[in-house]
């Protein structure tokens, strides 16, 4: 037998509280009452309520202040606001403060029941997403959101490599998460208590890069007014991540090769070398074999840094991860920007899955953050997305095609599953209405529910 859910009814009108208590008890809820926001806040902080029905206009502490205090206190209940004086502005303000929904008085019993059923379905979907994210993160690493088989294989290799000092080269297009993988390699290994130091070899002028990497002593050159330790020394005992190593000037490639071979550095102007214990992890978005052939990258250094290579797939080849990543970024940036709980509409999610993401995960994150600025605070709609995403353009990088057929199939399945979940949420679990919303037959929906194990 399912456990009864607790509801707190907050309203200064005793008759309304009594009416709601009778109604909700008939529907199987455990109901408690409170006549003002201050008393309700004390109960909400102590009690494990699934839902709170709260009036906006109340003495002592009104509903908006109560809602803000609940959000600040980390109250986990789903809060639904009620008011006889409600306006659209009140509704939007309450949504921004964290309310799930808003009901105008007078309301009927069916309206209350529908809102609560929708809220329960929302909580079920949130729990399912949390379980899925937990499973995904347990499968790989906390900061890497993926349910892609190829990414899972890469992360299994990361686990095996983490206990060794072997140099690793991470290859992949810009925005695929090369630094995240490098950090995972560091964080799950024996060096995790030591520094992880990252440097973009293409972001520092060539004239300064040698000093940044190896350091210098006072007087080594005109502006060297004091000793400076380099990034190798800073990373001693830990990991040095050389991002975009393909941008390294040839003159420094020779010196880097010597450091990797001898495990010692000589700061500019120093009389003697010093030993360092550093694991070097490199990354590049270039094809280094072509760079070697063109004479822009030393072959001996390439072989030295390429003891073990990890090639990250672009997002267009792991499109089944797009819905997961969208949910992750909405949660991550929504909390920070004061618009928690925003969900994408089916049309927006479809556009996000269909787009080719030449900028990969970084571009997707930027797109979601931009959408949160433009959205209505409740849903991320198609209008909140950049025009290029709405059109479905941007197939690939440097003229590459759209996702291959297998990736499209996986992405379509992930999208279809999300759309079915959204339809069930919008119809409070009514499968007939959900099928009509999805424009498929009831039998087809039942088949899909079984196929995706959605009950």
């Amino acid at each position: 037998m399912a456990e009864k859910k607790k509801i707190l009814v907050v309203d200064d009108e005793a008759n309304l509280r009594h009416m709601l208590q009778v109604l909700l008890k008939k529907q199987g809820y455990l109901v408690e009452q409170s006549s003002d926001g201050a008393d309700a806040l004390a109960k909400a902080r102590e009690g494990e309520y699934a839902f709170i029905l709260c009036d906006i206009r109340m003495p002592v502490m009104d509903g908006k202040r109560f809602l803000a205090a609940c959000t600040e206190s980390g109250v986990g209940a789903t809060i639904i606001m009620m008011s006889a004086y409600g306006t659209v502005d009140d509704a939007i303000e309450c949504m921004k403060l964290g309310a799930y929904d808003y009901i105008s008085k007078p309301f009927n019993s069916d309206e209350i029941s529908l809102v609560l059923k929708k809220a329960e379905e929302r909580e079920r979907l949130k729990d399912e997403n949390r379980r899925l994210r937990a499973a995904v993160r347990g499968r790989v690493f906390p900061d890497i959101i993926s349910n892609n088989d190829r990414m899972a294989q890469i992360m299994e290799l990361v686990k095996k490599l983490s206990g060794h000092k072997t140099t690793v080269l991470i290859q992949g297009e810009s925005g695929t998460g090369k630094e995240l993988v490098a950090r995972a390699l560091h964080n799950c290994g024996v060096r995790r208590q030591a520094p992880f130091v990252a440097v973009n070899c293409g972001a520092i002028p060539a004239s300064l890069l040698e000093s940044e990497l190896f350091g210098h002593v006072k007087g080594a050159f005109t502006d060297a007014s004091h000793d400076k330790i380099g990034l190798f020394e800073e990373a001693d005992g830990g990991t040095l991540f050389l991002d975009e190593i393909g941008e390294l000037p040839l003159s420094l490639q020779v010196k880097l090769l010597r450091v990797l071979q001898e495990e010692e550095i000589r700061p500019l102007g120093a009389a003697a070398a010093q030993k360092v214990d550093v694991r070097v992890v490199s990354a590049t978005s270039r094809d280094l074999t072509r760079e070697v052939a063109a004479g822009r990258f030393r072959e001996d250094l390439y072989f030295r840094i390429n003891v073990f290579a990890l090639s990250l797939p672009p997002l267009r080849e792991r499109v089944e991860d797009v819905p997961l990543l969208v949910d992750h970024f909405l949660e991550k940036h929504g909390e920070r920007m004061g618009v928690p709980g925003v969900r994408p509409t089916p049309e927006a999610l479809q556009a996000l899955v269909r787009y080719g993401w030449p900028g990969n995960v970084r571009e997707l994150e930027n797109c979601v953050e931009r959408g949160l600025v433009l959205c209505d605070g409740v849903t991320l709609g198609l209008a909140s997305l950049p025009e290029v995403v709405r059109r479905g353009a941007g197939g690939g990088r440097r003229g590459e095609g759209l996702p291959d057929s297998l990736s499209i199939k996986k992405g379509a399945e992930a999208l279809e599953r999300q759309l079915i979940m959204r339809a069930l949420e919008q119809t409070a679990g009514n499968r007939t209405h959900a099928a009509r919303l999805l424009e498929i037959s009831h039998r087809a929906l039942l088949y899909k529910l079984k196929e995706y194990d959605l009950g």
Side-chain angles (χ1 to χ4, degrees), residues 57-72:
R57 302 287 179 89
M58 295 184 297
V60 185
M61 176 185 281
D62 65 24
K64 291 180 184 178
R65 289 171 56 204
F66 167 76
L67 181 59
C70 283
T71 302
E72 185 178 343

Side-chain angles (χ1 to χ4, degrees), residues 158 161-162 164-171 177-187 191 195-201 213 232 235 238-245 256 260 278-284 304-310:
V158 166
L161 288 166
S162 62
H164 304 277
K165 195 179 177 180
T166 308
T167 54
V168 176
L169 176 63
I170 305 173
Q171 301 167 310
K178 296 186 290 293
E179 184 170 343
L180 283 179
V181 173
R183 287 185 182 275
L185 191 60
H186 172 81
N187 290 335
R191 295 173 176 263
F196 175 91
V197 179
V199 58
N200 188 317
C201 298
L213 289 175
F232 266 93
T239 302
L240 178 62
F241 175 56
L242 300 176
D243 196 9
E244 295 303 340
I245 195 171
L256 176 59
L260 294 176
V278 175
R279 180 184 196 166
V280 173
V281 177
S282 306
T284 182
R304 187 66 186 80
I305 64 173
N306 192 28
V307 175
F308 208 101
L310 299 173

Side-chain angles (χ1 to χ4, degrees), residues 332-347:
K332 173 184 173 182
H333 295 295
E335 292 291 338
R336 177 178 60 81
M337 296 168 66
V339 282
V342 174
R343 301 290 295 277
T345 63
E347 296 80 11

